[in-house]
Amino acid sequence: MRITAALLERSGGHAQPYAQTQPLRLAELELDAPRRGELLIRIDAAGLCHSDLSVINGDRLRPMPMALGHEATGIVEALGSPDDPDFAVGDRVILAFLPACGTCARCLAGEPYMCGTGAAANGEGRLLNGGRRLHDGCDEVHHHLGISAFASHAVVDRRSAVKVEHDLPPEIAALFGCAVLTGAGAVFNSAAVREGETVLIYGLGGVGLSALLAARAIGARTLTAIDPSPEKRRIAEELGATALAPEGAADALSGLFPDGGPDVVVETVGRAAVLIAAYQAARRGGRIVTVGLPNPAERFDIPALSLAAEGKTLIGSYMGSAVPARDIPRYIELWKAGRMPVERLLTSVNALANINQLMDALANGQAIRQVVTP
């Protein structure tokens, strides 16, 4: 079938403003029918994330050409396996950006977010079953994180989909596929924050604010956030945090955490210098969780002695250490109960045709989560 998708033909080297240089082109592509174990999804809404931007600016090298987009919701329109026991035509699904094979050592150990088979497929721009379903004339087009959601339709592995109820507004449902899954998961799963602990968050994009929502839902005793954007700090304050600008934050932190620092620090910026600041900010014996994706050339440098002498724990968190089929419904229930107001992440809903202008806003720190609809 013929679909419309946002196609990136070259990673890196695109000057801003993207509204003028147009790194993403709306292209008419051919989409193959789903194979066994796959689903054809009509995309209803897709969120813009720094993981998309990092492919455009070259921080994350991926095979080209590639149809971008990985945070989305949609409706199942066709099954590659007519006897699929879990999905039916008409189901609403939220798409997760790492399909887990279910059979490797990490999957069998209950860590599907560490699935090497799924990570390899994502790195090669193919689906978990092998190959690609997108074509631009005679050329194959690579899938972004197994989804390619900036499009009217997508074919995905069934293991990328989580079935949810139809009562979720699409523009809210999409956010659970990455921002909430990653940010809230970093707090609930990776750091295992407990009620009464103190939490500091670096960065208030979609992931950082999701971490803030989760920490508030758990009952963090002191909740602090650092971000250069006054608007993002305002939202954090409305959600119960003490929000600080990076300049002078180090001095302010000493008065907020009399125990020498917070129990848990969550770093979502994706810069080595910020991760170093996050590590230094944690108290002795504290936990530092990093979810940001820096450029691979960046290096993290700390005194080796401090790990043992200060008893700190540094935790890497990919996809919020999540089991999507378990955690996405859990987070939706917290939203429905009013304990995690995910709608506060939503900056705007826009037409897919505006994708390059929206990437400018994302790159310039002017948006939390922008959603596009085909």
Side-chain angles (χ1 to χ4, degrees):
M1 65 182 294
R2 300 291 291 178
I3 69 165
T4 300
L7 183 65
L8 181 68
E9 296 175 295
R10 176 171 55 89
S11 181
H14 304 283
Q16 280 192 265
Y18 297 138
Q20 294 180 12
T21 59
Q22 298 281 301
L24 291 169
R25 170 174 66 90
L26 291 193
E28 294 296 314
L29 304 179
E30 186 69 27
L31 178 64
D32 295 341
R35 300 179 186 177
R36 186 165 186 82
E38 296 174 354
L39 308 171
L40 171 65
I41 308 297
R42 185 192 77 230
I43 301 296
D44 282 344
L48 276 69
C49 173
H50 271 89
S51 293
D52 304 302
L53 184 63
S54 67
V55 179
I56 295 173
N57 67 23
D59 280 349
R60 303 286 288 178
L61 294 178
R62 296 288 180 179
M64 295 287 120
M66 176 171 279
L68 289 191
H70 68 283
E71 176 185 87
T73 185
I75 302 296
V76 177
E77 286 202 338
L79 307 172
S81 305
D83 56 347
D84 193 308
D86 300 315
F87 297 98
V89 171
D91 284 343
R92 172 165 297 286
V93 294
I94 291 173
L95 303 178
F97 59 88
L98 178 67
C101 71
T103 59
C104 70
R106 297 276 51 83
C107 285
L108 294 176
E111 300 175 344
Y113 46 89
M114 288 285 102
C115 176
T117 304
N122 281 357
E124 295 168 13
R126 58 175 174 82
L127 296 189
L128 198 55
N129 282 342
R132 296 157 191 89
R133 311 293 177 263
L134 288 165
H135 309 273
D136 185 16
C138 296
D139 298 325
E140 283 192 333
V141 172
H142 297 85
H143 299 268
H144 187 214
L145 300 178
I147 297 174
S148 293
F150 297 152
S152 57
H153 293 78
V155 166
V156 304
D157 191 282
R158 67 188 303 280
R159 289 163 286 191
S160 292
V162 176
K163 185 166 67 173
V164 297
E165 298 299 324
H166 280 270
D167 58 352
L168 276 77
E171 66 274 14
I172 302 300
L175 306 181
F176 286 91
C178 177
V180 179
L181 194 65
T182 301
V187 169
F188 284 121
N189 300 324
S190 307
V193 173
R194 298 179 292 272
E195 182 180 2
E197 288 195 303
T198 55
V199 177
L200 170 64
I201 298 167
Y202 281 82
L204 292 171
V207 173
L209 278 173
S210 293
L212 190 154
L213 294 177
R216 190 184 78 162
I218 287 171
R221 175 163 50 91
T222 301
L223 185 53
T224 307
I226 298 174
D227 194 281
S229 166
E231 176 61 17
K232 293 176 182 178
R233 295 200 303 269
R234 180 187 65 79
I235 294 173
E237 289 171 350
E238 291 176 356
L239 293 172
T242 299
L244 306 170
E247 301 80 12
D251 293 335
L253 292 177
S254 61
L256 292 169
F257 300 104
D259 195 26
D263 298 309
V264 177
V265 185
V266 182
E267 184 277 319
T268 73
V269 177
R271 291 289 178 266
V274 179
L275 179 55
I276 291 170
Y279 181 86
Q280 294 171 339
R283 66 165 173 81
R284 295 173 63 86
R287 311 191 295 285
I288 304 94
V289 182
T290 177
V291 303
L293 295 175
N295 186 295
E298 294 195 30
R299 292 292 181 265
F300 175 56
D301 184 16
I302 58 170
L305 176 64
S306 68
L307 281 167
E310 298 178 21
K312 296 182 180 182
T313 301
L314 180 60
I315 304 166
S317 177
Y318 188 69
M319 200 171 71
S321 305
V323 180
R326 176 197 70 194
D327 292 337
I328 287 176
R330 175 188 177 193
Y331 301 157
I332 289 172
E333 288 306 310
L334 287 170
W335 172 70
K336 288 182 176 180
R339 295 180 59 195
M340 279 179 52
V342 172
E343 69 278 1
R344 297 302 304 273
L345 308 181
L346 185 63
T347 302
S348 60
V349 180
N350 314 267
L352 181 59
N354 298 324
I355 189 75
N356 286 298
Q357 295 94 313
L358 299 173
M359 285 295 174
D360 277 322
L362 179 62
N364 297 333
Q366 298 168 337
I368 298 170
R369 261 318 192 254
Q370 303 165 105
V371 166
V372 293
T373 56

